[in-house]
Amino acid sequence: MLRKLRIALQVVVMTSVTLLLLGASWSLSTWLGWAAKIQFLPALMALDFGVLTCLIVLTLLLGRAYCSVICPLGIMQDMFGWLGKKQKKNRYSHSKEKRWLRYGVWVVFVICLIIGFAPVTTLLAPYSAYGRIVNTLFKPLYDLLQNGLAALESGYESYMFSNVELWMRSVTTMTVALLTLVIVGLLAWKNGRTYCNTICPVGTTLGIFSRFSLLKVRLDKEKCKNCGMCEKNCKASAIDFRTGEIDYSRCVVCGDCIDKCKFDSLHYVPTWNRESLKRTGKRGEAEEQQPHSEGRRAFLTGLAVAAGGAAMAQAKVKVDGGLAVIEDKKEPGRETKIVPAGAVSMKRMSKHCTACQLCVSNCPNNVLRPDSDLLRLMQPYMSFERGYCRPECTRCSEVCPTGAIQRITREDKTAIHIGHAVWLEENCIAMQEGVSCNSCERHCPAGAITMVEREGKDGNTVRTPVVSQWLCIGCGACENMCPSRPYPGIYVEGNEVHKAE
């Protein structure tokens, strides 16, 4: 029963997290935001002490249930492990805890987290790893499906689905996501929770608390027939049936061992009732048989407390009205990259962001993409080749689970200067071709651009833009709408620290 309950909760959480990371729909995302905010590391980065307290209490009560039913990367490992069992049943065996690796990685992670060295923390964060896998590997397939449905229903004059542009946001992020999927998948397929119990810093942290959990899986040596089925089905390699010892720092309370035991010698029972215990096994710890319902009720109660408190690029040929091929825009070289309104500054963004890609997948304007720079590896920044940051859109600040992009209102956003526009005479078609163009002025939502007369290359008078740094908010509308190719005649330079009126 414990195993069935675990699987049911896994389906709910995994579906919610995956739909959220796919950016399925904004109305749906507003209902699924809890799935990101109850993740351990995002809550830690956001200093959400309510969620952290609930997760620690959950662990002290039930053990590492978080790793089984809340962490998406942990659930994904169970899926690969299930596939491995299809090939060979009873495939696992007991192994000793690799302390030097487990706590060595944990110490390095904590140090990097404190000093703000993003490459290490973003690579090791389990929720972020799953977010990158979904956003770079699964989302293109999801978008292709949506485009297919849109094409299919258009013949019936129905417009429930809309076409989505597919494009490669970052080769680096896709490579990292693919390697993560292959490595974690192979480890889980062959050995179960190897990654979870040797590399994952969140698993190590919760393992410290789970040693003292009130509910634990107990082995009754008097009933045990030493068949070894519990050990052979323990994906955490935490059970040694010969000695009756269970490593509770690695046990993820999956219930597989209880389900496989034919002699009723394993029970998930409380430890606070001393009268129910009797001394068996090497450690002298065993218990009288307890009804399964008591453990299940406690498991459900603990999860209810925690939940209540935590509450490839698609090729396209673009043509103009005369069917001439339009050259794609290229990203201009910026001295300072642009981060979304609400991030406050580049420095703050790099310290709080775990590169989970949730904001990237949910950006409706296609302006966010993962960074390839080492110090900000896979963290989001803005560029305006495919759209611009609309002043009325605050979606990235609403979905960010770590607080790297603080929640802002539409009114706040119109007053935040994330960058400033810069005019480039050598790229402006008015100067180079002597044509009349005021596209940047017409599309500037802040009214920061004024056209002035200037002498062109051929001696004729042309109108060129002048930017008011006091009014420009750095939304990128001018850069996006500039007809100059491949580089725009006006572009946005980021502000290291955002300015507010």
Side-chain angles (χ1 to χ4, degrees), residues 10 20 24 61 86 93 123 126 128-129 140 190 195 207 222 304 309 312-313 316 333 343 364 372 489:
Q10 283 181 333
L20 183 65
L61 178 62
K86 290 295 181 180
S93 61
L123 285 172
S128 299
K190 185 177 181 180
Y195 181 88
E222 291 185 357
M312 245 107 285
K316 290 186 178 181
S372 297

Side-chain angles (χ1 to χ4, degrees), residues 214-443:
L214 296 180
L215 281 168
K216 294 178 179 178
V217 176
R218 299 285 185 173
L219 178 62
D220 188 340
K221 292 296 291 183
E222 291 185 357
K223 293 183 178 181
C224 180
K225 304 302 181 182
N226 294 326
C227 66
M229 290 299 293
C230 56
E231 179 180 311
K232 294 176 182 178
N233 286 275
C234 179
K235 67 189 71 174
S237 301
I239 299 178
D240 186 352
F241 76 93
R242 298 171 186 82
T243 61
E245 294 182 353
I246 300 176
D247 186 350
Y248 296 111
S249 72
R250 290 186 291 165
C251 174
V252 293
V253 201
C254 64
D256 286 352
C257 57
I258 300 175
D259 186 62
K260 290 294 182 179
C261 182
K262 298 179 181 179
F263 305 104
D264 196 33
S265 61
L266 285 165
H267 303 280
Y268 184 58
V269 294
T271 59
W272 57 78
N273 187 359
R274 297 294 180 181
E275 295 181 358
S276 67
L277 299 179
K278 57 184 179 182
R279 306 185 64 83
T280 61
K282 184 177 179 180
R283 290 186 176 181
E285 288 187 0
E287 60 287 320
E288 295 178 356
Q289 181 178 350
Q290 295 291 328
H292 289 286
S293 58
E294 182 178 357
R296 292 196 298 269
R297 284 195 298 269
F299 189 86
L300 283 170
T301 302
L303 289 178
V305 170
M312 245 107 285
Q314 182 182 21
K316 290 186 178 181
V317 178
K318 299 180 180 180
V319 297
D320 64 7
L323 299 182
V325 177
I326 298 177
E327 187 176 6
D328 287 337
K329 285 187 175 183
K330 295 183 179 179
E331 182 179 354
R334 311 181 203 271
E335 294 184 5
T336 303
K337 291 188 175 181
I338 312 164
V339 292
V344 181
S345 68
M346 289 279 293
K347 184 177 181 180
R348 184 186 178 280
M349 178 79 171
S350 64
K351 284 187 175 182
H352 288 79
C353 179
T354 61
C356 70
Q357 310 301 306
L358 183 55
C359 59
V360 177
S361 62
N362 279 272
C363 178
N365 305 309
N366 283 333
V367 300
L368 288 176
R369 61 205 64 190
D371 205 333
S372 297
D373 291 349
L374 179 60
L375 294 180
R376 301 189 66 252
L377 187 63
M378 297 179 291
Q379 294 182 347
Y381 74 99
M382 306 173 73
S383 198
F384 307 114
E385 291 76 58
R386 286 176 167 79
Y388 68 93
C389 189
R390 298 181 180 273
E392 70 274 10
C393 178
T394 59
R395 189 174 299 186
C396 59
S397 75
E398 294 170 5
V399 301
C400 179
T402 67
I405 307 175
Q406 294 180 336
R407 186 73 175 263
I408 58 174
T409 64
R410 295 181 180 182
E411 291 76 15
D412 293 333
K413 187 175 180 180
T414 58
I416 298 175
H417 300 252
I418 62 175
H420 56 278
V422 178
W423 178 62
L424 297 174
E425 179 180 345
E426 61 272 20
N427 291 344
C428 182
I429 63 173
M431 290 294 295
Q432 300 304 315
E433 301 180 16
V435 298
S436 176
C437 175
N438 62 340
S439 178
C440 52
E441 178 193 32
R442 285 187 291 108
H443 292 98

Side-chain angles (χ1 to χ4, degrees), residues 26-48:
W26 181 234
S27 58
L28 189 62
S29 297
T30 57
W31 291 96
L32 301 178
W34 61 268
K37 294 180 180 178
I38 63 173
Q39 303 299 323
F40 187 87
L41 190 59
L44 179 63
M45 300 297 285
L47 298 179
D48 193 334

Side-chain angles (χ1 to χ4, degrees), residues 64 93-106 193-211 234-240 245-251 283:
R64 282 177 56 185
S93 61
H94 174 260
S95 64
K96 292 185 178 180
E97 178 186 13
K98 296 177 177 59
R99 287 177 173 267
W100 64 272
L101 178 59
R102 190 180 187 189
Y103 293 101
V105 171
W106 184 81
R193 291 271 184 153
T194 301
Y195 181 88
C196 200
N197 283 330
T198 55
I199 302 298
C200 179
V202 174
T204 302
T205 302
L206 295 178
I208 297 173
F209 294 99
S210 65
R211 295 177 187 270
C234 179
K235 67 189 71 174
S237 301
I239 299 178
D240 186 352
E245 294 182 353
I246 300 176
D247 186 350
Y248 296 111
S249 72
R250 290 186 291 165
C251 174
R283 290 186 176 181

Side-chain angles (χ1 to χ4, degrees), residues 133-147:
I133 291 171
V134 172
N135 186 56
T136 59
L137 302 179
F138 299 159
K139 184 172 172 58
L141 301 176
Y142 174 82
D143 289 342
L144 280 173
L145 175 62
Q146 180 173 334
N147 289 346

